[in-house]
Amino acid sequence: TQLLEQSPQFLSIQEGENLTVYCNSSSVFSSLQWYRQEPGEGPVLLVTVVTGGEVKKLKRLTFQFGDARKDSSLHITAAQPGDTGLYLCAGARSSGDKLTFGTGTRLAVRP
Amino acid sequence: DTEVTQTPKHLVMGMTNKKSLKCEQHMGHRAMYWYKQKAKKPPELMFVYSYEKLSINESVPSRFSPECPNSSLLNLHLHALQPEDSALYLCASSRQGASPKLFFGSGTQLSVL
């Protein structure tokens, strides 16, 4: 059973377009993280959100944690080819609990 | 130094071989992890070491044997693997505590023939 479902699974867009990736669960998480993984590399942490309703911005990336702490979204404005990669959400159901990774969203941004 | 270094980067082995994957970090992290990642799938947790002691084993087959010789090193010993064990093996480290930030290595791409 996959606790964290991401959508879409795959997204191919043109440079300059906006996009949103969703991470959904029926479980409550004490914290949620977003990672980006490029081919041939390990995932790199982008952000951690811990408070329901929290919004964090990282340049053109906006992350939101749902009010009920069951879901999260990642919005990218004006996507660039350098944004290409596998985006993974990962959640911990309680403090100190192991991380569970989401199903992943593979993003391709065409020049 | 915020790097986690994994060696080798690529490994091809037969089903009767014995090999080891190595991971090293010098960030003072006391939690270290092994993940397995199949193509186009998310990483799956295998083992967690906390203060050099095995704290989580996700029901991994005994043909995978982890070892943490000291706080900076983590090994994964491989013996009698199957072709379905072919995958990217990722090492990560983190501080202890709530919402730990995982630092991943680049992984070892393993092919079992």
Side-chain angles (χ1 to χ4, degrees), chain A residues 20-99:
Chain A
T20 302
V21 177
Y22 299 94
C23 174
N24 294 302
S25 175
S26 57
S27 301
V28 175
F29 289 87
S30 65
S31 67
L32 205 135
Q33 300 177 338
W34 284 92
Y35 290 79
R36 179 172 66 215
Q37 184 177 18
E38 297 183 19
E41 299 294 330
V44 175
L45 180 66
L46 299 173
V47 77
T48 301
V49 286
V50 298
T51 305
E54 182 177 4
V55 176
K56 282 192 175 179
K57 290 182 183 287
L58 183 65
K59 297 183 180 178
R60 294 175 294 100
L61 278 59
T62 302
F63 304 85
Q64 184 161 9
F65 202 11
D67 291 342
R69 290 185 287 127
K70 292 183 179 181
D71 55 84
S72 180
S73 64
L74 158 59
H75 183 79
I76 301 179
T77 303
Q80 298 177 1
D83 296 326
T84 294
L86 176 66
Y87 287 81
L88 294 158
C89 64
R93 284 191 286 179
S94 60
S95 176
D97 193 14
K98 62 184 182 182
L99 274 182

Side-chain angles (χ1 to χ4, degrees), chain A residues 2 30-31 33 35 37 40-45 48 50 86 88 95-99 101-104 106, chain B residues 9 35 37 39-45 48 56 58 88 90 97-107:
Chain A
Q2 183 56 254
S30 65
S31 67
Q33 300 177 338
Y35 290 79
Q37 184 177 18
E41 299 294 330
V44 175
L45 180 66
T48 301
V50 298
L86 176 66
L88 294 158
S95 176
D97 193 14
K98 62 184 182 182
L99 274 182
F101 278 90
T103 49
R106 195 165 295 276
Chain B
K9 196 164 179 62
Y35 283 84
Q37 186 176 27
K40 300 182 181 180
K41 296 290 186 182
E44 297 175 13
L45 183 64
V48 181
I56 295 178
E58 290 288 297
L88 180 68
L90 291 162
S99 308
K101 174 180 179 179
L102 294 184
F103 288 79
F104 282 88
S106 297

Side-chain angles (χ1 to χ4, degrees), chain B residues 22-23 32 49 52 66-77:
Chain B
K22 297 186 181 301
C23 175
M32 296 188 76
Y49 272 82
E52 295 93 71
E67 179 196 18
C68 190
N70 60 55
S71 60
S72 300
L73 295 175
L74 185 66
N75 299 321
L76 186 63
H77 303 297

Side-chain angles (χ1 to χ4, degrees), chain B:
Chain B
D1 183 2
T2 58
E3 279 195 356
V4 176
T5 303
Q6 287 189 244
T7 56
K9 196 164 179 62
H10 301 276
L11 179 62
V12 179
M13 61 186 290
M15 289 188 284
T16 59
N17 291 157
K18 284 185 181 180
K19 297 287 185 184
S20 296
L21 310 184
K22 297 186 181 301
C23 175
E24 188 170 1
Q25 58 88 16
H26 296 287
M27 293 178 278
H29 291 170
R30 301 310 294 272
M32 296 188 76
Y33 311 74
W34 280 115
Y35 283 84
K36 172 183 177 180
Q37 186 176 27
K38 301 285 274 186
K40 300 182 181 180
K41 296 290 186 182
E44 297 175 13
L45 183 64
M46 300 175 71
F47 302 103
V48 181
Y49 272 82
S50 178
Y51 292 95
E52 295 93 71
K53 293 194 186 315
L54 183 65
S55 60
I56 295 178
N57 177 342
E58 290 288 297
S59 302
V60 179
S62 60
R63 57 185 184 268
F64 296 91
S65 175
E67 179 196 18
C68 190
N70 60 55
S71 60
S72 300
L73 295 175
L74 185 66
N75 299 321
L76 186 63
H77 303 297
L78 314 173
H79 174 52
L81 293 196
Q82 303 297 310
E84 59 264 30
D85 296 322
S86 298
L88 180 68
Y89 288 84
L90 291 162
C91 172
S93 70
S94 73
R95 296 188 187 285
Q96 297 286 8
S99 308
K101 174 180 179 179
L102 294 184
F103 288 79
F104 282 88
S106 297
T108 294
Q109 187 65 55
L110 174 67
S111 296
V112 182
L113 305 179

